[in-house]
Amino acid sequence: VYAQQRPVVLAEFNYAMGVPGGDLAQRFGSHLAIGGGVGFHPGKRKFHLGIRGSVFFGQTVKEDVIAPFRTSQYGLLIGADQLLAEMKLRERAWLLCLNGGGLIALRESPSSHAQLKWQLGLGFIEHSIRFVDDASALPQFDENLIQGLDRLSNGLAVVPAVGFEHLSKSGGLSYYAGVETILGFTRNQRSYHYDLGISELGKSRLDLMWQLRIALYLPFHLGDADDVEY
């Protein structure tokens, strides 16, 4: 009978893919994310604590905030050299959260153990539209203009999640795979939208993300070797 586990500190490197919901689905398409964090399992007590951060990337922006600046020819923009140029729009977001939850053992042994992991995170999320001028041909899109177009929004985030976790103590692979929902209770932070000619400063939003997250762990086991009773 596997009797007692040592406490373990987990350095985490994660990758995620997902789709938006709520108000966020009206602005962006699907996304990818990378991130990292640190977690702690206190051994025989079946709970965990941690902190993690993620950066989100998306290729699809549904709100064409530069529509008033486009020409009738190919929908491009006029650059500083009076030639046509292209401005690409991208999704950018980041999340930082504290999380905690419980562990339900599925299989335990002196060399490894597998468990169901549920958690609830609380943190801060921010998202905006990123402007990419690869040719550096559009100097008119300076910081002041972009601030009136980028739709910067941020606020409180709640992150419930559930997944499968495998921890090895013999040098094998330690990993996590699960699903999670990010609920962002955000507000618009820009005083004026230049493309719409209106102000939405402080307007409340419900931004959702549903995603699959996979993480690799680098575990650091603390204390003496685990106890095994016969």
Side-chain angles (χ1 to χ4, degrees):
V1 178
Y2 189 50
Q4 182 174 339
Q5 301 170 5
R6 285 179 290 170
V8 57
V9 175
L10 301 170
E12 173 186 326
F13 307 92
N14 60 67
Y15 174 84
M17 60 187 72
V19 295
D23 294 328
L24 197 65
Q26 300 176 22
R27 180 167 297 170
F28 299 123
S30 60
H31 66 267
L32 301 175
I34 58 174
V38 178
F40 176 66
H41 295 182
K44 62 182 179 181
R45 297 177 179 85
K46 295 298 183 181
F47 71 90
H48 64 91
L49 299 170
I51 182 172
R52 68 180 178 91
S54 297
V55 179
F56 302 84
F57 307 88
Q59 299 291 320
T60 302
V61 178
K62 299 179 181 179
E63 295 183 24
D64 189 4
V65 297
I66 59 175
F69 307 94
R70 295 187 184 277
T71 66
S72 58
Q73 186 174 9
Y74 308 116
L76 297 176
L77 306 172
I78 299 176
D81 54 4
Q82 301 303 307
L83 299 177
L84 295 178
E86 181 182 12
M87 176 72 80
K88 298 176 182 177
L89 303 180
R90 298 289 184 260
E91 174 189 2
R92 287 296 183 269
W94 61 272
L95 167 72
L96 181 66
C97 72
L98 300 170
N99 55 72
L103 302 166
I104 301 174
L106 301 176
R107 179 183 58 80
E108 298 185 2
S109 74
S111 61
S112 67
H113 56 276
Q115 52 205 0
L116 183 67
K117 181 177 184 179
W118 64 268
Q119 56 189 325
L120 182 64
L122 183 65
F124 183 85
I125 188 170
E126 181 173 281
H127 59 81
S128 64
I129 298 173
R130 181 171 181 263
F131 294 75
V132 182
D133 177 15
D134 291 328
S136 300
L138 298 164
Q140 64 267 39
F141 285 86
D142 58 12
E143 183 178 355
N144 291 328
L145 180 57
I146 287 176
Q147 286 181 359
L149 300 172
D150 66 3
R151 302 294 198 268
L152 178 69
S153 302
N154 55 42
L156 176 70
V158 178
V159 189
V162 62
F164 172 82
E165 182 176 78
H166 176 270
L167 298 181
S168 173
K169 290 172 286 184
S170 57
L173 184 66
S174 296
Y175 61 89
Y176 166 87
V179 293
E180 65 185 20
T181 300
I182 300 174
L183 298 91
F185 302 95
T186 65
R187 292 181 180 274
N188 180 68
Q189 300 299 317
R190 297 307 191 195
S191 59
Y192 199 75
H193 297 325
Y194 293 155
D195 58 311
L196 300 178
I198 62 173
S199 175
E200 293 184 325
L201 179 63
K203 181 180 178 180
S204 297
R205 300 172 50 88
L206 177 59
D207 296 319
L208 305 178
M209 292 181 177
W210 294 288
Q211 59 182 23
L212 169 67
R213 187 167 64 90
I214 300 171
L216 294 178
Y217 291 141
L218 182 61
F220 298 92
H221 297 277
L222 308 178
D224 299 328
D226 299 322
D227 296 330
V228 181
E229 296 178 353
Y230 297 90

